[in-house]
Amino acid sequence: MAPRVLTTTEEVREALAGPGRVGLVPTMGYLHEGHAALIRQARAECEVVVVSVFVNPRQFGVNEDLGRYPRDLDRDLAVAGAAGADLLFHPEVATMYPDGYATTVTVSGVSGPPEGHARPGHFDGVSTVVLKLLNIVQPERAYFGEKDWQQLAVVRRMVRDLNVPVRVVGVPTVRAASGLALSSRNSYLTPEQQERAVILSRALWAVQEAAAAGERDTARLVQTGLEVLARDPEVRPDYLTVVDSDMRERERVENDPMTRVLVAARMFGVRLIDNVPLWAEERWTGGEGA
């Protein structure tokens, strides 16, 4: 059954006036199996599941894809309903940013490199809209995908620093059978282009393998990944980096489960991101799954 659609703060507050643990899944819509995994986990842990669908203009740069970002509310309702959502919050821009709106949330440190330098102001937009959604819905738990690893780090730091009473839950990246991380922006690519885009994932796995074989020098690990990306002339890397839990790149890596390998690159005019843990007991070998 499709979730009930709410468009105003007042409707959300009224709908959530009863008892029960509330889980929030913030999204920009065009839902896919990755979003469905977030919703299913929220459904398993909460009595009421709210999915927000809002293409947030404040996290897009001047020359980014705000105007053509995929939107399909009927699709979103179908995916959210099948995964177990109760409510879908779909506000207008004017609802989130009314006339005279003048507040921006900035999270220092973890919002810097790599993604924050590649997209100046992006994380200010993310942290601002996420805090607004948390204040509107007031959930006990909020669910975010690990594919946007730095975004997850920013949200966790904001919640900690501002004493927001919510548990932030990270959910592992869902991948296609090829290994490509699922993303709404994959819709910009043809099936053949998506197959070639798996090279981003392969670069990350190559770094994992090098670390598992004993390499500890960060520069050499990064070079290993860049050499994989260089095999396809269509790849235009923004960055490939190995970072710790504070999003800092060290000269040498340690066996820390929070160490992550991140990549961002353009292929066929589309900017894609992905990441994997540097240390993983089980590394991707193909097939369905996260």
Side-chain angles (χ1 to χ4, degrees):
M1 183 170 63
R4 176 185 169 196
V5 178
L6 311 172
T7 60
T8 69
T9 298
E10 292 74 19
E11 288 176 335
V12 173
R13 297 275 171 80
E14 181 180 352
L16 297 176
R21 176 182 292 162
V22 176
L24 171 66
V25 181
T27 83
M28 290 208 301
Y30 210 71
L31 304 186
H32 50 65
E33 179 57 28
H35 298 108
L38 302 179
I39 298 167
R40 286 194 295 268
Q41 183 158 339
R43 176 78 281 158
E45 298 175 353
C46 303
E47 284 73 48
V48 182
V49 177
V50 182
V51 175
S52 64
V53 171
F54 179 64
V55 181
N56 177 33
R58 292 185 173 233
Q59 67 190 71
F60 287 79
V62 175
N63 297 312
E64 294 185 345
D65 58 342
L66 173 60
R68 71 184 186 112
Y69 193 85
R71 297 164 171 85
D72 188 337
L73 185 58
D74 289 339
R75 169 196 176 116
D76 295 340
L77 286 167
V79 173
D86 300 295
L87 304 170
L88 189 143
F89 180 43
H90 182 51
E92 297 290 338
V93 173
T95 298
M96 298 299 285
Y97 304 115
D99 288 343
Y101 186 88
T103 301
T104 299
V105 180
T106 298
V107 181
S108 300
V110 292
S111 65
E115 189 73 2
H117 281 189
R119 302 179 68 189
H122 169 69
F123 286 120
D124 286 357
V126 169
S127 54
T128 299
V129 77
V130 169
L131 184 57
K132 286 180 68 68
L133 290 168
L134 293 176
N135 285 334
I136 292 168
V137 177
Q138 299 182 13
E140 281 82 358
R141 299 186 180 191
Y143 297 81
F144 296 84
E146 291 184 354
K147 184 184 76 69
D148 295 285
W149 183 256
Q150 191 169 0
Q151 172 180 278
L152 179 58
V154 168
V155 171
R156 282 175 166 157
R157 182 62 56 85
M158 177 187 71
V159 163
R160 187 195 74 178
D161 289 354
L162 298 182
N163 304 108
V164 182
V166 65
R167 177 182 174 186
V168 176
V169 181
V171 179
T173 302
V174 178
R175 299 182 181 275
S178 64
L180 180 66
L182 297 191
S183 168
S184 298
R185 288 187 170 93
N186 291 352
S187 65
Y188 298 152
L189 303 174
T190 67
E192 293 77 17
Q193 290 171 340
Q194 290 186 33
E195 286 297 319
R196 286 178 63 179
V198 179
I199 195 169
L200 272 67
S201 307
R202 293 194 182 111
L204 300 177
W205 304 331
V207 176
Q208 280 185 330
E209 292 293 341
E215 183 60 73
R216 296 294 180 270
D217 183 86
T218 299
R220 286 197 286 267
L221 288 170
V222 168
Q223 185 59 35
T224 296
L226 291 175
E227 287 173 358
V228 174
L229 295 180
R231 296 172 189 169
D232 191 322
E234 188 63 39
V235 179
R236 301 287 185 272
D238 276 356
Y239 57 79
L240 189 149
T241 185
V242 181
V243 298
D244 64 14
S245 59
D246 292 319
M247 303 306 300
R248 294 175 297 187
E249 186 175 280
R250 307 286 192 173
E251 289 186 5
R252 294 183 62 81
V253 299
E254 299 177 355
N255 194 0
D256 180 348
M258 294 300 290
T259 303
R260 211 80 179 183
V261 192
L262 288 77
V263 65
R266 293 187 180 276
M267 293 191 71
F268 309 103
V270 180
R271 189 174 188 273
L272 302 171
I273 64 172
D274 197 359
N275 72 87
V276 295
L278 179 61
W279 310 106
E281 293 183 6
E282 295 183 8
R283 287 179 289 277
W284 182 264
T285 57
E288 299 288 348

